[in-house]
């Protein structure tokens, strides 16, 4: 992450605008201030941190609000450095005006971008944890009219497979770096034709880390069309039987099983297991029926929060770093910042497997999300409801 250190910080008059960079407001924390910054269409925080021992300032991007292109952050840092600082101690990167790094095409920046891009697609396959991508690329070549979405949590795999897809002129591929469990929970219902999960990590000793679980099975059933199919291929008998058992919780499903079936394409992991003469199990589940649409009208509990100035003061003075763990969600109220009469709180929250970090502004006339609204997953809705409860418990004391 680009950053620099300086000895002198000049007075910052806001709002400030130069060369397409806008600094709009400052929120003050204990040792760190956050500068709300706008470049092109994107907003993020610059973090201004004081090192009291060395009497110097560290300026960098706040890691949970990073813009989609690192170049925007570099540009903002450069403008900040030129206009508000003196005596630079060190620079961790060469800041260049022109360097706007693009991600490889076919890789989308975030879930929202993916949802926008798939809106009018008639047929969609999803591959979870595509790794070296052999099966995903094979499906893309065999089915030029079907959009193949690849989900991975391992960044190098995304870059590598995107390059391979581009070199083969495959334009029916979109790749996203996220946890498959989160992505499934925000997709429209009755949207997807097939979901492939090939050779997932079996997590024999930590089953809660498996991609498959009851929640996952419910989301598969919801996002798959009534003609859709979920397909597991694994060398782990335990994972195979665990998955079958999980889907047997549904009353009307069809399960087809096969052992040591040969496919036209063999993945890197599959090759490894075949060399070791391990058995390979296939499980194909279908017959999900039609599911109800996602309830998009549901609101986050903070939208109805209102505080008077006295209450805001009370929250400010009695703020506690607070962690709450629910059955399948958590909430960590991490930090508080003050912006004039408003309070900005930073929270980590959501599902255990996919924590999100966001900033919420509490004001006299409004309570809102500083950046984009999070996705309305069940876990996120519950965590924000818990936040509302905790904030009210502060002021009702
Ligand atoms: C054992 S590898 C198998 C890769 C590939 N399917 C194959 O057969 O060669 C499992 C892959 O799943 C990815 N993965 C693990 N958990 C995931 C999750 N929750 N969402 C998306 N990908 C995940 C890992 O990064 C890894 O690349």
């Amino acid at each position: 992450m680009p950053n620099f250190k300086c000895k002198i910080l000049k007075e910052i008059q806001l709002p400030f605008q130069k060369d397409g960079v806008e600094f709009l407001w400052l929120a003050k924390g204990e040792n760190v201030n956050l500068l709300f910054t706008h470049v092109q269409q994107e907003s993020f925080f610059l973090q201004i941190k004081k090192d009291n021992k060395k009497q110097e300032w560290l300026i960098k991007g706040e890691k949970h609000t990073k813009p989609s292109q690192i170049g925007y952050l570099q540009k903002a840092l450069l403008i900040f450095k030129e206009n508000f600082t003196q005596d630079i101690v060190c620079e961790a990167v060469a800041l260049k005006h022109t360097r706007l790094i693009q991600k490889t095409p076919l890789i989308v920046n975030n879930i929202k971008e993916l949802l926008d891009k798939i809106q009018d697609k008639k047929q969609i396959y999803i591959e979870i944890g595509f790794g070296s991508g052999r099966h995903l690329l094979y499906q893309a070549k065999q089915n030029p009219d079907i959009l193949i979405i690849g989900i991975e949590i391992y960044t190098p795999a995304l870059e590598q497979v995107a390059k391979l897809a581009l070199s083969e002129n495959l334009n029916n591929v979109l790749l996203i770096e996220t946890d498959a469990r989160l992505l499934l929970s925000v997709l429209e219902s009755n949207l997807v034709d097939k979901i492939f999960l090939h050779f997932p990590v079996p997590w024999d000793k930590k089953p809660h880390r498996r991609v498959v679980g009851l929640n996952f099975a419910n989301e598969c059933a919801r996002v798959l069309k009534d003609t859709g199919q979920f397909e597991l291929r694994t060398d782990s008998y335990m994972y195979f039987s665990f998955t079958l058992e999980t889907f047997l919780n549904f009353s009307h499903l069809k399960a087809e099983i096969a052992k040591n079936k040969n496919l036209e394409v063999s993945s890197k992991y599959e090759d490894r297991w075949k060399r070791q003469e391990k058995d390979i199990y296939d499980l194909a589940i279908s017959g999900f029926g039609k599911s109800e649409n996602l309830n998009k009208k549901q609101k986050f509990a903070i939208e109805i929060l209102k505080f008077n100035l006295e209450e805001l003061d009370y929250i400010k003075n009695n703020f506690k770093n607070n962690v709450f763990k629910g059955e399948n969600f958590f909430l960590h109220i991490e930090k508080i910042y003050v912006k004039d009469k408003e309070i900005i709180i930073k929270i980590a929250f959501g599902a255990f497997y996919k924590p999100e970090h966001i900033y919420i502004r509490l004001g006299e006339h409004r309570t809102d999300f500083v950046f984009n609204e999070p996705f309305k997953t069940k876990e996120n809705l519950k965590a924000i409801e818990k936040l509302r409860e905790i904030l009210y418990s502060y002021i009702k004391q």
Side-chain angles (χ1 to χ4, degrees):
M1 274 278 262
N3 67 75
F4 67 90
K5 287 182 181 171
C6 64
K7 283 281 179 202
I8 297 175
L9 197 63
K10 297 185 204 164
E11 197 185 329
I12 307 170
Q13 293 284 354
L14 297 176
F16 176 92
Q17 189 177 356
K18 197 168 180 188
D19 295 344
V21 175
E22 288 175 280
F23 299 127
L24 296 174
W25 48 263
L26 191 74
K28 295 184 177 168
E30 216 171 303
N31 244 338
V32 176
N33 294 341
L34 300 173
L35 182 59
F36 186 84
T37 304
H38 203 76
V39 182
Q40 302 283 339
Q41 306 293 315
E42 297 201 30
S43 305
F44 52 95
F45 278 138
L46 285 192
Q47 187 173 298
I48 306 167
K49 189 172 181 186
K50 187 162 192 190
D51 182 335
N52 283 321
K53 257 198 211 150
K54 292 190 188 159
Q55 284 298 308
E56 60 189 31
W57 301 87
L58 167 66
I59 326 289
K60 61 178 189 174
E62 196 283 327
K63 65 178 178 195
H64 294 118
T65 67
K66 271 186 301 187
S68 64
Q69 296 186 32
I70 200 83
Y72 296 161
L73 177 57
Q74 290 175 323
K75 200 167 173 194
L77 283 170
L78 182 67
I79 298 285
F80 189 84
K81 186 177 79 144
E82 284 171 0
N83 292 279
F84 299 114
T85 65
Q86 249 175 288
D87 290 0
I88 300 301
V89 180
C90 60
E91 289 181 41
V93 282
L95 303 175
K96 288 185 191 155
H97 276 295
T98 51
R99 201 160 154 248
L100 297 181
I101 298 169
Q102 293 273 4
K103 273 206 174 185
T104 317
L106 306 185
I107 303 180
V108 296
N109 286 311
N110 51 49
I111 292 181
K112 191 171 174 307
E113 192 182 320
L114 181 83
L115 297 182
D116 289 346
K117 286 196 166 166
I118 64 175
Q119 263 180 20
D120 56 346
K121 299 291 181 222
K122 298 221 160 35
Q123 278 186 287
I124 297 179
Y125 286 1
I126 288 182
E127 176 151 355
I128 298 171
F130 54 79
S132 61
R134 285 190 207 163
H135 179 260
L136 181 142
L137 295 169
Y138 167 81
Q139 287 294 343
K141 270 182 253 174
Q142 296 295 310
N143 303 291
D145 297 330
I146 299 178
L147 173 70
I148 320 286
I149 301 175
I151 314 175
E152 247 303 333
I153 50 172
Y154 182 57
T155 315
L158 286 128
E159 292 290 338
Q160 192 191 344
V161 174
K163 280 181 193 145
L164 286 172
L166 285 170
S167 72
E168 300 194 39
N169 292 323
L170 294 170
N171 52 15
N172 57 333
V173 170
L174 281 179
L175 307 178
I176 181 162
E177 182 179 349
T178 189
D179 191 302
R181 293 168 291 184
L182 175 71
L183 183 66
L184 286 192
S185 67
V186 299
L187 287 179
E188 290 286 351
S189 305
N190 312 302
L191 178 80
V192 178
D193 294 271
K194 280 191 183 181
I195 297 175
F196 300 104
L197 177 63
H198 283 192
F199 301 95
V201 184
W203 291 113
D204 287 343
K205 297 205 173 103
K206 294 182 182 165
H208 64 279
R209 297 192 67 171
R210 289 176 184 158
V211 170
V212 174
L214 192 53
N215 212 12
F216 172 85
N218 280 323
E219 295 300 351
C220 278
R222 187 183 60 74
V223 303
L224 280 165
K225 293 177 181 166
D226 54 358
T227 51
Q229 178 166 298
F230 167 76
E231 189 187 297
L232 170 78
R233 187 164 170 83
T234 178
D235 56 294
S236 160
Y237 179 74
M238 209 194 288
Y239 206 112
F240 162 81
S241 51
F242 166 79
T243 306
L244 179 59
E245 224 172 86
T246 306
F247 278 95
L248 280 176
N249 281 298
F250 295 82
S251 51
H252 292 98
L253 288 184
K254 185 172 149 201
E256 288 167 76
I257 57 176
K259 192 171 166 186
N260 296 326
K261 184 167 87 177
N262 268 324
L263 297 186
E264 273 180 48
V265 61
S266 179
S267 79
K268 220 165 150 181
Y269 275 86
E270 181 166 349
D271 283 352
R272 184 191 291 175
W273 307 136
K274 279 181 180 160
R275 279 195 299 275
Q276 294 178 15
E277 297 188 343
K278 284 180 93 178
D279 287 327
I280 289 175
Y281 305 91
D282 279 288
L283 172 63
I285 312 265
S286 56
F288 291 100
K290 208 160 166 47
S291 301
E292 267 183 38
N293 287 336
L294 267 185
N295 180 0
K296 288 195 182 149
K297 289 201 182 111
Q298 246 172 318
K299 288 194 165 171
F300 279 114
I302 59 150
E303 291 175 31
I304 48 164
L305 275 181
K306 278 211 177 83
F307 301 101
N308 60 37
L309 287 180
E310 208 181 312
E311 289 170 332
L312 286 174
D313 251 1
Y314 192 84
I315 295 176
K316 198 161 52 188
N317 297 329
N318 293 280
F319 174 80
K320 282 194 286 283
N321 186 312
N322 207 329
V323 182
F324 176 85
K325 283 189 186 156
E327 201 186 322
N328 47 16
F329 73 95
F330 78 101
L331 168 70
H332 181 185
I333 307 180
E334 291 184 354
K335 288 194 182 99
I336 190 166
Y337 298 86
V338 177
K339 173 191 171 252
D340 308 319
K341 289 176 182 164
E342 295 180 332
I343 292 176
I344 311 283
I345 52 174
K346 182 179 186 186
I347 62 167
F349 74 111
F352 293 108
Y353 57 78
K354 187 66 186 169
E356 291 192 57
H357 293 81
I358 55 160
Y359 288 87
I360 293 176
R361 170 176 24 213
L362 313 182
E364 202 184 359
H365 305 293
R366 60 173 175 187
T367 296
D368 59 5
F369 298 102
V370 176
F371 299 97
N372 290 336
E373 182 175 283
F375 287 106
K376 287 175 180 153
T377 61
K378 283 187 251 100
E379 294 86 0
N380 286 358
L381 285 158
K382 279 189 209 160
I384 298 293
E385 169 61 32
K386 188 69 203 170
L387 174 70
R388 187 188 67 84
E389 252 178 54
I390 293 175
L391 289 173
Y392 269 143
S393 72
Y394 274 155
I395 57 175
K396 294 274 152 26
Q397 277 168 15

